[in-house]
Amino acid sequence: MEIINLQSILSESEFFKEKSEKDKIILHHTVSSGTAKSVIDWWNKTKDRVSVPYIIEKNGKIYQVFNDEYWSYHIGGNATKNDNKTSIGIEIINEGPLIRKDNAYYWFDGKVKYYGEVYPKKWRNYDYWATYTDEQVKATAELCKFLCEKFNIPKTFIVSFTFDKNYFKQTGIMSHHNLRADKTDISVAWPVDKFIKYLNM
């Protein structure tokens, strides 16, 4: 596994240079079709400290943008400061929910045309989803294995696509949607069985 260092690009004002113990990994997606660089540019522009230390592009390349012992407010919502401090976020490049119109699919609330594969499933007020690449799934599993070993995090994945505030008390690997009812990342297009297979290889 290769991790490409982009730590010089993200502004230090977008995370907290404070080391903390970690007990969970939270998977996010970008709701965009960009690159790691464009995601970093967006974080630098918004200035709200919701960045995460890792970004995985569609080709499976892994980028690190700040020290994974540091933290940011990547969960949002009703998450406490400690919830954010004790978790590591991984951002996966993906367009997220899609809207079908005029025999085509669009992301970003129906504003940008989508050209990739579509996963049809009704969930959280949407019917269609952008798929994740096999390279991303494998890279995410490899990165999770690395982080679980580094921080002694249980190598278990919550397979439920539901929100439950009790997930905050759990350790292991989970999705942003498990911790917030208003989020769709990672989506129902995530190939759970394949991810778990890679995770245990």
Side-chain angles (χ1 to χ4, degrees):
M1 179 185 68
E2 179 186 6
I3 298 176
I4 302 166
N5 191 328
L6 290 183
Q7 295 184 57
S8 63
I9 299 177
L10 183 67
S11 169
E12 291 187 359
S13 65
E14 294 311 298
F15 57 92
F16 296 92
K17 294 181 71 174
E18 178 185 357
K19 293 185 177 182
S20 57
E21 296 293 323
K22 310 294 182 181
D23 64 12
K24 61 175 64 69
I25 298 167
I26 300 173
L27 304 182
H28 301 259
H29 67 210
T30 58
V31 195
S32 73
S33 61
T35 63
K37 176 67 166 52
S38 66
V39 173
I40 295 168
D41 288 344
W42 175 254
W43 286 335
N44 283 334
K45 180 181 178 181
T46 55
K47 302 183 185 303
D48 51 12
R49 298 196 187 199
V50 296
S51 58
V52 300
Y54 294 101
I55 303 169
I56 300 178
E57 290 189 347
K58 291 194 174 190
N59 60 8
K61 288 187 176 180
I62 302 170
Y63 296 87
Q64 183 171 8
V65 301
F66 66 85
N67 187 329
D68 52 28
E69 295 179 329
Y70 298 158
W71 66 281
S72 68
Y73 286 112
H74 66 107
I75 304 173
N78 293 323
T80 66
K81 180 179 178 180
N82 191 62
D83 291 328
N84 287 284
K85 288 180 69 172
T86 58
S87 59
I88 303 170
I90 298 175
E91 198 77 63
I92 303 165
I93 300 290
N94 181 270
E95 294 83 354
L98 305 173
I99 295 173
R100 184 176 181 179
K101 60 182 181 180
D102 302 325
N103 294 318
Y105 296 92
Y106 296 81
W107 58 277
F108 195 58
D109 291 332
K111 298 174 184 175
V112 183
K113 196 167 186 179
Y114 173 74
Y115 296 97
E117 293 184 29
V118 176
Y119 183 83
K121 187 174 179 66
K122 189 170 185 63
W123 180 65
R124 294 202 175 173
N125 299 317
Y126 290 94
D127 296 315
Y128 305 99
W129 305 88
T131 59
Y132 302 87
T133 68
D134 187 65
E135 292 85 357
Q136 284 180 313
V137 179
K138 189 172 185 178
T140 303
E142 289 176 348
L143 179 57
C144 284
K145 283 193 288 186
F146 166 76
L147 294 172
C148 286
E149 291 173 7
K150 178 177 179 178
F151 293 98
N152 197 29
I153 298 171
K155 199 174 63 174
T156 55
F157 178 60
I158 295 176
V159 299
S160 170
F161 285 92
T162 60
F163 159 75
D164 189 331
K165 63 183 179 181
N166 289 315
Y167 287 139
F168 281 106
K169 302 173 186 176
Q170 294 195 25
T171 59
I173 306 163
M174 59 193 69
S175 305
H176 199 194
H177 69 252
N178 293 131
L179 304 176
R180 288 183 57 176
D182 61 330
K183 291 295 181 179
T184 61
D185 56 330
I186 51 178
S187 80
V188 287
W190 185 251
V192 171
D193 291 344
K194 184 182 289 185
F195 174 67
I196 292 174
K197 177 183 175 182
Y198 286 143
L199 193 62
N200 292 311
M201 286 179 66

